Amino acid sequence: MRHMTTGDLSLVLNEMFKTKLDLLNKTISFKIYERSLIEKRDKLNSIVEIMGRKPLTEELKDADDLHDSTGRAVYFICKGMSSLSILAKEKRDLLSTVSERFVPALGDFTRSYEDEASSAMKKRDLIADMKKELSAFPVAPDMTLYDLLDAHIGAGEKIDTLLAKRADTTADEDAAKLKEARTIRPVTIGMLNRLREAMDDEVSMNGELDDSLVNKVFAYYDQIGETREDRGAKPKPPPVTA
């Protein structure tokens, strides 16, 4: 069982307490280990959950929603009004320029967080040169085209900040949980093996217990362990030919 992971052990203990509890409760051995195994199960579940969870997910989603919604608004304003014949040519030219530089396609808002953050860095330099013209173009009460673009770019910049923070947070959490996993894994395997030995002895001394009880209780444990052993086995060397 030396190749079993913390995730494997979490699955084993969850399955054991969920489907094998009736069998386990028939033995005295289980009563000795029950509390400790429950503690190990809960700790393993916590480690697996944290290592599989990405931090700042909600914060990134909120920033992305703001980035995409403001970007789409700019896109439709530019596309709709740049073809408006009663609008002064310099205003239509401005909208065409904004569209080309900042929101050329709606597909831009389906890109990865990393791509959106990188794009925001470039857009920040471009908007500075156009602030005067954009600030003179209202698009809603108390909102100019500059305000809308500034919010769009600011959301992209926030995505960049959150991604950097996520990387640091993930590294710290992973290091802590990896250290904890390395400790709890062998302890849990050892405890399960001792429980198995104790149950084997109890079955052999108690004629009222089914001979297959131990194998039934540890069937999933054995299945995962054997699978891991097969994957971890070293390939056999090719046969020597004359």
Side-chain angles (χ1 to χ4, degrees), residues 23 27 195-204 210-219 222:
L23 292 174
T27 70
L195 171 62
R196 184 175 205 153
E197 291 171 0
M199 289 177 65
D200 276 328
D201 288 340
E202 189 173 346
V203 168
S204 67
D210 188 341
D211 290 343
S212 65
L213 185 147
V214 178
N215 287 337
K216 289 178 180 177
V217 167
F218 286 89
D222 291 339

Side-chain angles (χ1 to χ4, degrees), residues 38-236:
I38 288 174
E39 292 175 356
K40 296 294 182 294
R41 178 200 63 188
D42 293 345
K43 180 63 70 175
L44 285 163
N45 287 344
S46 174
I47 292 172
V48 170
E49 179 185 0
I50 289 176
M51 293 189 74
R53 184 180 68 227
K54 291 186 175 181
L56 303 174
T57 298
E58 289 302 316
E59 292 87 342
L60 277 163
K61 182 180 181 301
D62 289 343
D64 184 55
D65 286 344
L66 179 59
H67 174 273
D68 293 354
S69 63
T70 51
R72 282 191 292 267
V74 172
Y75 176 87
F76 286 116
I77 288 170
C78 291
K79 290 297 182 185
M81 297 190 71
S82 62
S83 61
L84 191 60
S85 61
I86 60 174
L87 191 66
K89 184 178 185 303
E90 63 269 19
K91 296 295 185 183
R92 284 184 279 133
D93 290 344
L94 173 64
L95 290 169
S96 296
T97 300
V98 168
S99 178
E100 292 171 5
R101 291 185 179 182
F102 298 100
V103 286
L106 286 176
D108 290 347
F109 309 123
T110 61
R111 295 186 301 172
S112 69
Y113 288 156
E114 288 79 5
D115 286 342
E116 290 180 346
S118 176
S119 179
M121 303 299 109
K122 300 171 185 175
K123 291 176 181 179
R124 177 57 69 191
D125 293 334
L126 294 174
I127 195 177
D129 298 332
M130 303 178 66
K131 183 173 182 179
K132 184 178 179 180
E133 303 98 293
L134 295 173
S135 297
F137 198 114
V139 294
D142 301 320
M143 182 181 293
T144 66
L145 190 53
Y146 177 83
D147 296 329
L148 195 55
L149 274 169
D150 185 55
H152 170 67
I153 295 168
E157 291 169 333
K158 185 173 183 180
I159 290 173
D160 182 64
T161 300
L162 289 170
L163 286 174
K165 187 176 179 181
R166 168 186 272 187
D168 291 339
T169 302
T170 301
D172 291 341
E173 287 186 350
D174 285 355
K177 286 302 173 184
L178 185 58
K179 182 178 179 180
E180 190 173 13
R182 286 173 176 165
T183 301
I184 195 172
R185 179 185 160 279
V187 171
T188 304
I189 291 174
M191 188 176 294
L192 285 168
N193 289 340
R194 290 194 299 276
L195 171 62
R196 184 175 205 153
E197 291 171 0
M199 289 177 65
D200 276 328
D201 288 340
E202 189 173 346
V203 168
S204 67
M205 292 184 285
N206 186 346
E208 295 182 2
L209 294 175
D210 188 341
D211 290 343
S212 65
L213 185 147
V214 178
N215 287 337
K216 289 178 180 177
V217 167
F218 286 89
Y220 192 42
Y221 179 68
D222 291 339
Q223 177 184 315
I224 292 182
E226 289 169 7
T227 300
R228 288 295 184 191
E229 288 296 324
D230 290 342
R231 291 178 181 173
K234 294 182 179 179
K236 294 181 180 179

